[in-house]
Amino acid sequence: MTVTATLTRNSRAEWSRLWSVRSSRLFAAATAAGVLGITALAASQSAASAPAGGSPWQLAGMIGLPGLFGVLVLVTVAATADHATGNIIPTLQWTPRRTVLFAVRAAVLTTTATLLGIGFLVASSTTIWLFAPQLTYFSRSAAEKVGSAALVFAATALLAIGLGLAIRNTAGALVCVFALVLILPLFLQILPFEWVTRLIEVLPGSAALFFLLGEGPGDTTMTAAGSTMILLSWAIAALIAGGWRLLRSDADR
């Protein structure tokens, strides 16, 4: 069997494993409903004051933050499910080449997270525009926001996958992901130390906030290029750790 055929077969299996579980479908639907509900509520209250010619995509990026964490929970649970349920042994019997399992799991989960993130952003922007038609739906900011959302969802999904494979525990991986992406960037800024500001600037959550909200947390001075490097660096480091654990450690430890 060729490499392409092997990857295709295992990618289909990974896709089926993800979406054949009812909890995955329900959780994705609940996250979508929550994001659209928040969007509709915010749009209905601010529609009258929305400036003519403004962009609905900026507000959609701000509202999309809950969607990010919903997607990260879905990805983290999917990445750690085999170890949590003890199904890692039959999974490796089906896919004995761990490099293939690592590649397809990362690819399928990252693609899923990115598509969900873009879908949430487009749906939120459309909802806002329907409430406030004076806004400009098609604009340069639309393409920029879609690209930023794709980067954020893809990079943070890779971070969650790497941490999940390295920690092999759903609760522990979720704590680490939420700490790096949400808790530390928002709560460290209450400390009045300059070194804390420097620390916040290199956290993946700060880079994600920069792209979604248009600015980093607190008094940080962040740029698009720097934020991109931060997201990619964390994603690559986590994938190296997770891949090393998957390839070198016993499956049931």
Side-chain angles (χ1 to χ4, degrees), residues 56-203:
W57 297 88
Q58 182 64 34
L59 180 58
M62 299 170 64
I63 298 175
L65 197 57
L68 173 63
F69 297 110
V71 170
L72 289 181
V73 172
L74 176 64
V75 169
T76 304
V77 171
T80 58
D82 280 343
H83 292 284
T85 60
N87 287 331
I88 186 63
I89 300 300
T91 296
L92 289 175
Q93 290 174 339
W94 171 258
T95 312
R97 296 173 62 182
R98 299 192 183 193
T99 52
V100 173
L101 176 61
F102 175 69
V104 299
R105 180 153 297 182
V108 169
L109 292 180
T110 303
T111 301
T112 300
T114 304
L115 292 177
L116 286 174
I118 294 175
F120 291 157
L121 179 67
V122 172
S124 296
S125 300
T126 304
T127 301
I128 294 170
W129 179 66
L130 291 175
F131 277 95
Q134 71 271 24
L135 298 176
T136 303
Y137 187 81
F138 297 100
S139 62
R140 179 180 177 181
S141 63
E144 293 175 350
K145 276 298 177 183
V146 170
S148 296
L151 172 63
V152 169
F153 278 83
T156 53
L158 290 172
L159 172 67
I161 294 165
L163 290 176
L165 294 176
I167 297 173
R168 295 186 174 183
N169 178 275
T170 302
L174 284 174
V175 169
C176 290
V177 170
F178 271 70
L180 290 171
V181 181
L182 174 64
I183 299 174
L184 291 178
L186 294 180
F187 288 94
L188 280 179
Q189 57 185 307
I190 66 176
L191 299 177
F193 304 113
E194 184 177 353
W195 65 268
V196 173
T197 303
R198 305 284 81 79
L199 174 61
I200 293 174
E201 289 179 348
V202 298
L203 291 174

Side-chain angles (χ1 to χ4, degrees), residues 29-69:
T31 302
V35 170
L36 291 179
I38 295 173
T39 301
L41 180 62
S44 63
Q45 293 181 347
S46 60
S49 59
S55 173
W57 297 88
Q58 182 64 34
L59 180 58
M62 299 170 64
I63 298 175
L65 197 57
L68 173 63
F69 297 110

Side-chain angles (χ1 to χ4, degrees), residues 180-181 185 200-211 215-217 222 227:
L180 290 171
V181 181
I200 293 174
E201 289 179 348
V202 298
L203 291 174
S206 301
L209 290 174
F210 174 83
F211 282 116
E215 60 181 8
M222 305 182 68
S227 298

